[in-house]
Amino acid sequence: MNPKLKTVLLLLLLPLIAFILYFSGILIINSVADYRPVAEKTAVSTEMPSVRESKTTFSILSWNIGYGGLGREADFFYDGGSMVIPPKDHYERYFSGILETLSSLDSIDFILLQEVDTFSTRSYQDNQYEAIGRQLDSHAGFFVRNYDVAFVPMPVFNPMGRVVSGLCIFSSCPVAQTEMLVFPGSFPWPKRLFMPDRCFLASRIPLPEGKGLVVINTHNSAFDDGRLRNAQLQMLKDYMEECLERGDHVVAGGDWNLNPPGYDNGQFASGEPAFSISVPAGKEDFISSGRFAFQPAFPTNRDVSGPYVPGQTPATIIDFFVCSPGIRIVGVKTLYNHFDYSDHHPVYMRFELTGNGH
């Protein structure tokens, strides 16, 4: 072969070889360091007082804070955008707004948060859980990891990098026990190396006469064909019914990544056109006689293929609560803020315990 031609071919092959070595190294590192959550149960105190008998009405809030990186100007590459790491000034404004919002809501009994980073490139290595805990200093905080990846290489020219993130419950009521349960199923290798490991967090609040109130925070799968979400709903249903069998009340909230029964794919009162997310079969029987709580007139989540444009960006409802029998929903409200600080809105509910449902 002509030496000059050989040199040209080698120069052409070098970038391809470097690319293959780069991604092979990432696969090896992430395979070795692959985080797989393990179900665990933690007793918070052996002498935990119960909620006073006169307290039968509670308040709860759920909010996916989008790691402080998905505010009004942001898009996201998994959904057709290009952004992963927001400009630092945007991140600081989003996260400051999240902290300020949560500080103004510190009278709420239970605050459920999803996509809370503790050491991630995309959120400038901030420990968001600790920062939020300082704002909610009258609450006890409980955190579990559901996303721990050494290095996410996508998008290629602006990789997500290191990710450590999870979900948490902040409670102003005494908590006797917390429990992390791991959802079944996952994406095939190697995709699963770079995706969250889905789980849910449950806290049991002791009530008089040995009963309890179980508060669940969940963040169900996205980007799947429905099979993962079906299995997750079945596990949640089984767990909630076990709680009911022992006489406990149950409230589950979070980012379900699917629409609740009764969702209307129309125009929201706030002006956004609505879109639907495929609903796995059987969700209507999620829990016997349970009730789904959401405010139909306002969206909880927006499309992130581009920045938010009022009246134009499609939106939907995927953040809501499921209440077991024996719970009366006093009121539910989406705290609409034009998606200023996250691609999700906080959802607030008041509820009353009326019986054990049996």
Side-chain angles (χ1 to χ4, degrees), residues 185-313:
S186 64
F187 292 98
W189 190 93
K191 184 177 180 179
R192 67 173 176 81
L193 297 175
F194 308 107
M195 301 299 286
D197 297 284
R198 302 294 180 173
C199 61
F200 66 93
L201 176 63
S203 292
R204 187 175 188 269
I205 292 83
L207 300 174
E209 301 179 358
K211 301 293 178 64
L213 169 62
V214 178
V215 175
I216 295 172
N217 184 7
T218 187
H219 188 185
N220 295 34
S221 289
F223 313 113
D224 81 293
D225 60 6
R227 285 177 290 183
L228 292 178
R229 280 172 288 176
N230 258 322
Q232 292 163 6
L233 289 175
Q234 184 62 50
M235 183 176 179
L236 274 167
K237 176 182 178 179
D238 293 344
Y239 179 82
M240 293 175 74
E241 290 185 343
E242 286 175 12
C243 295
L244 287 175
E245 286 299 318
R246 66 172 181 248
D248 289 344
H249 303 271
V250 191
V251 174
D255 175 358
W256 301 79
N257 272 310
L258 50 85
N259 302 134
Y263 169 74
D264 179 20
N265 187 3
Q267 190 86 10
F268 289 108
S270 47
E272 296 91 349
F275 70 91
S276 296
I277 294 180
S278 298
V279 178
K283 180 165 62 61
E284 291 76 4
D285 188 38
F286 176 56
I287 184 169
S288 301
S289 305
R291 296 186 62 193
F292 291 76
F294 63 98
Q295 187 178 17
F298 293 94
T300 69
N301 172 245
R302 72 168 178 93
D303 175 85
V304 284
S305 61
Y308 175 70
V309 180
Q312 297 182 29
T313 298

Side-chain angles (χ1 to χ4, degrees), residues 275-353:
F275 70 91
S276 296
I277 294 180
S278 298
V279 178
K283 180 165 62 61
E284 291 76 4
D285 188 38
F286 176 56
I287 184 169
S288 301
S289 305
R291 296 186 62 193
F292 291 76
F294 63 98
Q295 187 178 17
F298 293 94
T300 69
N301 172 245
R302 72 168 178 93
D303 175 85
V304 284
S305 61
Y308 175 70
V309 180
Q312 297 182 29
T313 298
T316 191
I317 293 175
I318 58 175
D319 308 86
F320 52 88
F321 297 100
V322 181
C323 302
S324 68
I327 291 179
R328 184 176 73 88
I329 299 168
V330 178
V332 60
K333 182 177 183 180
T334 298
L335 305 185
Y336 184 84
N337 63 12
H338 303 280
F339 299 104
D340 277 346
Y341 310 127
S342 172
D343 60 327
H344 290 253
H345 283 133
V347 181
Y348 168 83
M349 181 179 71
R350 285 183 62 80
F351 61 95
E352 181 184 9
L353 308 184

Side-chain angles (χ1 to χ4, degrees), residues 9-127:
L9 289 174
L10 183 61
L11 290 173
L12 291 173
L13 284 172
L14 280 176
L16 177 61
I17 293 169
F19 181 82
I20 292 171
L21 290 174
Y22 171 71
F23 276 97
S24 297
I26 288 170
L27 288 175
I28 292 169
I29 291 169
N30 282 312
S31 294
V32 171
D34 187 24
Y35 168 70
R36 304 303 296 271
V38 178
E40 59 183 5
K41 186 181 295 186
T42 305
V44 177
S45 172
T46 56
E47 300 180 355
M48 180 62 63
S50 63
V51 172
R52 65 183 186 276
E53 192 167 353
S54 60
K55 184 174 176 63
T56 58
T57 301
F58 298 84
S59 55
I60 188 169
L61 178 120
S62 177
W63 192 12
N64 183 332
I65 66 169
Y67 61 88
L70 292 172
R72 173 187 285 258
E73 295 87 358
D75 59 37
F76 189 58
F77 82 103
Y78 272 141
D79 291 283
S82 60
M83 186 182 297
V84 170
I85 302 173
K88 191 166 187 182
D89 59 330
H90 286 190
Y91 167 76
E92 289 174 347
R93 181 167 65 80
Y94 299 156
F95 191 53
S96 293
I98 289 166
L99 291 176
E100 184 178 346
T101 300
L102 291 172
S103 180
S104 70
L105 301 170
D106 65 351
S107 62
I108 295 173
D109 294 312
F110 310 111
I111 295 176
L112 320 181
L113 303 175
Q114 303 88 41
E115 291 194 32
V116 179
D117 281 3
T118 55
F119 190 82
S120 302
T121 306
R122 64 188 185 179
S123 52
Y124 298 89
Q125 290 80 42
D126 274 359
N127 190 324

